[in-house]
Amino acid sequence: MSDFESRPHSSAYFGEERDYWWNDDYLDLLARRLGLDRVGVLADVGCGIGHWGGLLARHLPANAEMIGIDRDPANVAGARQRFARLWPDLSTRFVEGDATALPLDDRSVDLATCQTLLIHLAQPMSAIAEMIRVTRPGGQVVAVEPNNLFNRMAVSSLTADMPLDRQIEEASIAMRLVEGRRRRGLGCEYLGDLLPGLFAAAGLADIRVWLSDRALALVPPYGPPEQQAQLAAIERWQREGSGPYDRTEFAADLAAGGADEFMIERGWQAMLDGNAQASASIAERRYHAAGGGLFYIVAGRVR
Ligand SMILES: C[S@@+](CC[C@H](N)C(=O)[O-])C[C@H]1O[C@@H](n2cnc3c(N)ncnc32)[C@H](O)[C@@H]1O
């Protein structure tokens, strides 16, 4: 469930691995809990190329409309193409716009939702307020956001035997990095933990909180397609020097989180070493991880 992209998104960053963030039978359950079969108009805010909206689409009634909003025109175009290919019968509208000033009328949708949008925003409350404004009274706002600080600390076969001092050092780097990103206005990676409180403060009622039951395990020989997609994503990040492999971003985040040059260099080298060890261990079919994470679904009703 990692979602490290920090630069403006392009469709090139939306890899196949995103299709495996959810279990289908869990989505069936979620659709029932949210009453998606009674939703006439759904807005997917920060839709990217429509991975989240696409998963919800199959649970909407035949005459429903899906509106996708994203500030990146390339994503809007990508979502439009993707939906035309995968869900040609669904009524859709994809528009460029900012989550903090949505290009939608007051009370015009039944359900406003987002996935891994709010963790990237300096002012998530502004986006939540906008989702409330565009949703009719009695409708729902549903946000899906992780705690990636927690997720960064997950244990794998490689880290399990690390000396305690090294584990503490790595935890300290992760905390400074996450805090640095928050201070730089790049969003709060643990926002998922705070979301129910933010929903309440924004005036939403009947707040419900769940976790995705999906685990992104890697277990030799990594046969299933979701494991292959994860390995492909890691390989792509390494090849492009993007996501968690961007040295400039890493240094800026850590510096803003209070790390000195020595700590930044040590942290960077430790990450490169860890990645090289993980790649070698994967090649030898020895690496394994359960791949669990905190990925919240928070729903609230508009009064
Ligand atoms: C991590 S991606 C998630 C995309 C999609 N929700 C998904 O789950 O695949 C975050 C998306 O939010 C968009 N975004 C970021 N800030 C935004 C803003 N202020 N207003 C609208 N979209 C924004 C980005 O362009 C990107 O497409």
Side-chain angles (χ1 to χ4, degrees), residues 3 5 9 14 18 21 44-48 51-52 69-72 75 97-100 115-117 120-121:
D3 195 46
E5 301 102 313
H9 288 73
F14 294 113
R18 274 176 188 262
W21 280 7
D44 179 11
V45 182
C47 62
H51 280 277
W52 176 231
I69 303 108
D70 202 283
R71 70 171 177 194
D72 182 337
N75 291 344
D98 197 291
T100 60
Q115 171 175 277
T116 61
L117 165 74
H120 295 296
L121 301 184

Side-chain angles (χ1 to χ4, degrees), residues 21-102:
W21 280 7
W22 297 92
N23 286 316
D24 282 344
D25 54 357
Y26 182 85
L27 284 176
D28 294 345
L29 172 67
L30 192 61
R32 284 201 300 280
R33 287 173 172 171
L34 296 174
L36 290 188
D37 60 339
R38 297 188 299 279
V39 167
V41 183
L42 181 146
D44 179 11
V45 182
C47 62
I49 62 167
H51 280 277
W52 176 231
L55 291 172
L56 300 181
R58 70 183 74 142
H59 295 282
L60 296 175
N63 59 350
E65 183 187 25
M66 154 106 43
I67 308 169
I69 303 108
D70 202 283
R71 70 171 177 194
D72 182 337
N75 291 344
V76 172
R80 202 174 283 133
Q81 280 169 12
R82 198 161 168 272
F83 267 71
R85 185 165 44 88
L86 297 175
W87 298 276
D89 297 333
L90 188 71
S91 167
T92 54
R93 198 150 45 99
F94 292 98
V95 286
E96 204 180 314
D98 197 291
T100 60
L102 287 173

